[in-house]
Amino acid sequence: MIRGWYTGASGMNAQQNRLDAISNNLANVDTAGYKRDITVSKSFPELLIRRTNADGVINVSVGSVDMAPVIGKLGLGVETNENYTDFTQGSFKITNGKADAALNGKGFYVIETPNGERYTRNGNFLVGKEGILETKDGYPVLGENGYIRVTDDRFNINEDGMITREDDSSFVDRFKIVRFDNERYLKKMGESLYSSNEITGPAHIAEGSERPAFLQGYSETSNVNVVNEMVQMIEVNRAYEANQKTITSEDSMMSTLWQKVAVLK
């Protein structure tokens, strides 16, 4: 019975982690470039149950028979295996902002932060006071030649990410876009930024077919489907309640057992 408490509790913890991920997805449904989180759970190794009051082997005419046959399997609970990010493409929303550029395809902008280079899919930029292209939080966007200096918003961005002046078509810079070997393991750092790690591998410059297309004046919306997330939230609540009832039943059975033992003694 005590094992039943731990099994039910592990299920409740796993569903709580799923609920946290779903809640975060719904909270960022309107965040540009946001990618939803998915929580994956796995069960603990199962045990085989055998009869212990009958052991040994009976010899029969053909072969032998185990006197302690397997009764069934015993589950020991569940745990959260991983929480990863789904980087499927979001839809596009027109903004008509000259400094906005959505990425159509895989790849990440490179952002300079006090903690080093970070990566984002959020292409909603602005021109800072010093004429440098920046994120909404004031972090410079990097081009292949360093900071992108545009002075004002009178510039054009072609499909390859090349920035040219609107008045004389002079070349300014080209967006630095990177890819990763295992991008699903990028770590979210807040403010729509990601950081790499040993699992993702180092960032490499995206060229040729690896480079996404740029859409100036557009913004990539989040890839969160509100209806699907709400359905999953209902499933999580029901699973949580089922595990909660399991613990309640186990507690009731244990209480009855102790009362009976006390009466017998």
Side-chain angles (χ1 to χ4, degrees), residues 78-99:
V78 67
E79 65 174 344
T80 300
N81 187 29
E82 66 171 321
N83 187 17
Y84 71 94
T85 304
D86 176 19
F87 282 101
T88 56
Q89 181 78 54
S91 58
F92 300 111
K93 180 177 67 175
I94 189 169
T95 64
N96 291 322
K98 300 289 288 186

Side-chain angles (χ1 to χ4, degrees), residues 56-255:
V57 176
I58 301 176
N59 294 320
V60 294
S61 57
V62 180
S64 61
V65 177
D66 190 354
M67 294 181 60
V70 175
I71 299 175
K73 296 181 179 181
L74 177 64
L76 298 179
V78 67
E79 65 174 344
T80 300
N81 187 29
E82 66 171 321
N83 187 17
Y84 71 94
T85 304
D86 176 19
F87 282 101
T88 56
Q89 181 78 54
S91 58
F92 300 111
K93 180 177 67 175
I94 189 169
T95 64
N96 291 322
K98 300 289 288 186
D100 295 335
L103 297 179
N104 185 13
K106 295 183 178 180
F108 298 86
Y109 290 106
V110 182
I111 310 299
E112 181 70 28
T113 73
N115 298 318
E117 290 187 354
R118 293 294 183 263
Y119 314 98
T120 186
R121 291 280 303 185
N122 187 350
N124 289 1
F125 303 132
L126 52 83
V127 180
K129 294 181 179 179
E130 299 179 357
I132 298 175
L133 196 64
E134 301 176 346
T135 65
K136 300 295 185 181
D137 299 296
Y139 299 133
V141 183
L142 295 184
E144 295 180 346
N145 298 319
Y147 292 168
I148 302 176
R149 302 182 183 275
V150 291
T151 307
D152 52 47
D153 61 356
R154 292 192 294 271
F155 59 87
N156 296 320
I157 304 173
N158 67 5
E159 290 187 356
D160 192 47
M162 294 180 61
I163 305 171
T164 56
R165 295 295 304 173
E166 194 175 69
D167 49 3
D168 57 3
S169 299
S170 60
F171 175 76
V172 177
D173 205 339
R174 184 171 179 249
F175 280 107
K176 181 180 180 182
I177 301 297
V178 297
R179 295 281 301 275
F180 299 89
D181 294 334
N182 296 299
E183 63 183 20
R184 64 176 285 181
Y185 297 107
L186 287 170
K187 183 179 180 181
K188 289 185 175 180
M189 305 301 295
E191 299 173 343
S192 299
L193 299 177
Y194 300 89
S195 65
S196 59
N197 50 60
E198 295 181 357
I199 302 177
T200 63
H204 62 271
I205 303 298
E207 293 290 354
S209 60
E210 280 193 331
R211 194 171 177 85
F214 290 75
L215 300 175
Q216 186 178 18
Y218 286 82
S219 174
E220 182 186 4
T221 63
S222 69
N223 63 351
V224 177
N225 187 308
V226 177
V227 176
N228 290 342
E229 296 295 328
M230 292 299 296
V231 170
Q232 291 185 38
M233 181 175 287
I234 295 173
E235 293 176 353
V236 167
N237 287 331
R238 290 178 177 175
Y240 190 93
E241 292 176 356
N243 284 283
Q244 190 177 34
K245 290 179 180 179
T246 299
I247 294 178
T248 303
S249 299
E250 293 284 347
D251 183 66
S252 177
M253 293 169 61
M254 182 63 73
S255 176

